[in-house]
Amino acid sequence: MYQRNTQQRQVILEELRMLKNHPTAAVLYTQVRSRLPKVSLGTVYRNLEMLYQSGIIQKLEFGGNEARYDGTIDQHDHVRCVQCGRLDDVDLPALAFLGGDCNDFGGFKIIGHRFEYIGICPQCRTKEENQTDDLPAER
Amino acid sequence: MYQRNTQQRQVILEELRMLKNHPTAAVLYTQVRSRLPKVSLGTVYRNLEMLYQSGIIQKLEFGGNEARYDGTIDQHDHVRCVQCGRLDDVDLPALAFLGGDCNDFGGFKIIGHRFEYIGICPQCRTKEENQTDDLPAER
DNA sequence: CTGTCTGCAAATGGTTTGCACCATA
DNA sequence: TATGGTGCAAACCATTTGCAGACAG
């Protein structure tokens, strides 16, 4: 089951690694289109999934939101802004053990974990202070 | 902003509390229909969201899968089966600190966290042993 | 009565997929 | 030139929403 090294695939991976902020597929798509104006969103999804399955990139999907992608595979956790969806890195070595030795819970074979802080990012915080009214919808 | 105490809302909450295994909206819907044959799926979603916003139940959404609901609000973590989506409880007091004092990461105001183990449930494990072929799709 | 809630069905939105053509190896 | 990849558009599927009638308070 070999994979070809297409131009699209290369550009998608390069641009993903360029964008440091864990872009969504849609954001990456517009970015890639600046170099390959004819790519389709379907191709972006297909390649992201392929790269993810090959263990080359990370897919960071949580709670109904759009999935976000990380061009590296080093293990670290994240903070997600409830309001705008922004996703930042968090270095929290204390969590390393969680994926480790504990590999049986009620018969489950544990193969990993997902962790994420939920919060409000700096931008959204200042927005909140300026306009005290209009609480935005939760989701 | 008061809320009415409709029959639908009551039954939905009761049935959710009856089902101990964190049902999806669809599963709960069929369950509720056995008592109220005319409820609509929309009503189930609307009420679940309402109960969730009111802090009466938990909404457990993770990784692109269907959301699952918990009729109680006690804090505990979960294991999710990658293959069938089954969601079980896990008691892991060590994680309690995570939502606690640490309330500022890079300007983010931390308001909570999401954690979940990923694994393979007993049923899917035995299935795997019996038939070594046909790897199921990731998602 | 008033204003919330319901059932229905259509809309949404992120993601996937079928198909015919394209291009990599 | 064989076959995996692409672009396009339609399909999917969980969830949301507009609307007119129903019903709780």
Side-chain angles (χ1 to χ4, degrees):
Chain A
M1 184 164 280
Y2 87 107
Q3 293 176 184
R4 289 185 180 167
N5 184 21
T6 59
Q7 197 187 172
Q8 287 85 336
R9 184 124 66 227
Q10 283 179 53
V11 174
I12 287 169
L13 183 55
E14 282 173 29
E15 290 302 322
L16 173 58
R17 291 192 166 151
M18 221 80 105
L19 297 169
K20 298 294 184 188
N21 52 319
H22 311 311
T24 61
V27 167
L28 183 58
Y29 168 58
T30 57
Q31 189 66 20
V32 169
R33 267 211 299 194
S34 68
R35 288 175 58 187
L36 303 174
K38 320 202 72 161
V39 269
S40 71
L41 185 53
T43 295
V44 172
Y45 273 108
R46 262 187 298 235
N47 279 292
L48 284 173
E49 190 61 25
M50 210 169 271
L51 292 165
Y52 166 59
Q53 297 289 348
S54 305
I56 296 170
I57 65 170
Q58 290 182 73
K59 186 176 182 182
L60 308 167
E61 38 178 12
F62 254 78
N65 299 117
E66 293 170 86
R68 282 163 178 273
Y69 298 85
D70 186 331
T72 74
I73 51 162
D74 42 275
Q75 178 57 46
H76 56 265
D77 296 297
H78 300 93
V79 216
R80 186 182 300 259
C81 176
V82 257
Q83 298 190 10
C84 67
R86 171 176 159 185
L87 192 68
D88 278 18
D89 289 337
V90 149
D91 195 18
L92 199 69
L95 277 181
F97 81 97
L98 291 172
D101 35 66
C102 43
N103 53 357
D104 195 278
F105 278 127
F108 272 76
K109 178 182 181 186
I110 303 299
I111 60 181
H113 71 271
R114 284 168 164 159
F115 178 84
E116 202 175 75
Y117 278 104
I118 313 171
I120 304 174
C121 76
Q123 278 74 4
C124 292
R125 290 180 80 170
T126 49
K127 256 183 249 158
E128 256 188 352
E129 284 159 19
N130 298 347
Q131 40 184 70
T132 45
D133 43 32
D134 86 50
L135 314 177
E138 183 98 333
R139 187 197 166 177
Chain B
M1 182 164 282
Y2 87 107
Q3 293 176 184
R4 288 187 181 167
N5 184 21
T6 59
Q7 195 187 172
Q8 286 87 333
R9 182 123 67 227
Q10 283 179 53
V11 174
I12 287 169
L13 183 55
E14 282 174 28
E15 290 301 321
L16 173 58
R17 291 192 166 151
M18 222 79 104
L19 298 169
K20 298 292 182 188
N21 52 320
H22 312 309
T24 62
V27 167
L28 183 57
Y29 169 56
T30 56
Q31 189 65 22
V32 169
R33 267 209 300 193
S34 68
R35 288 176 58 187
L36 303 174
K38 320 201 71 161
V39 268
S40 70
L41 186 52
T43 296
V44 172
Y45 273 108
R46 261 185 299 234
N47 279 293
L48 284 173
E49 190 62 25
M50 211 169 270
L51 291 165
Y52 166 58
Q53 298 288 348
S54 306
I56 296 170
I57 66 172
Q58 290 182 72
K59 187 178 183 180
L60 308 167
E61 36 177 16
F62 254 77
N65 299 114
E66 293 170 86
R68 282 163 177 273
Y69 298 85
D70 185 332
T72 74
I73 50 162
D74 43 275
Q75 177 59 44
H76 55 265
D77 296 299
H78 300 92
V79 217
R80 186 182 300 258
C81 177
V82 257
Q83 299 190 10
C84 67
R86 172 177 157 184
L87 191 68
D88 278 16
D89 290 338
V90 150
D91 196 18
L92 198 70
L95 278 179
F97 81 96
L98 291 171
D101 35 67
C102 43
N103 53 358
D104 194 279
F105 278 126
F108 271 75
K109 178 183 182 183
I110 303 300
I111 59 180
H113 72 273
R114 285 168 163 159
F115 177 85
E116 200 174 75
Y117 278 104
I118 313 172
I120 304 175
C121 75
Q123 277 74 5
C124 291
R125 290 179 79 171
T126 49
K127 257 183 250 158
E128 255 186 354
E129 284 158 20
N130 297 348
Q131 41 184 74
T132 46
D133 44 33
D134 88 50
L135 314 177
E138 183 97 332
R139 187 199 165 176

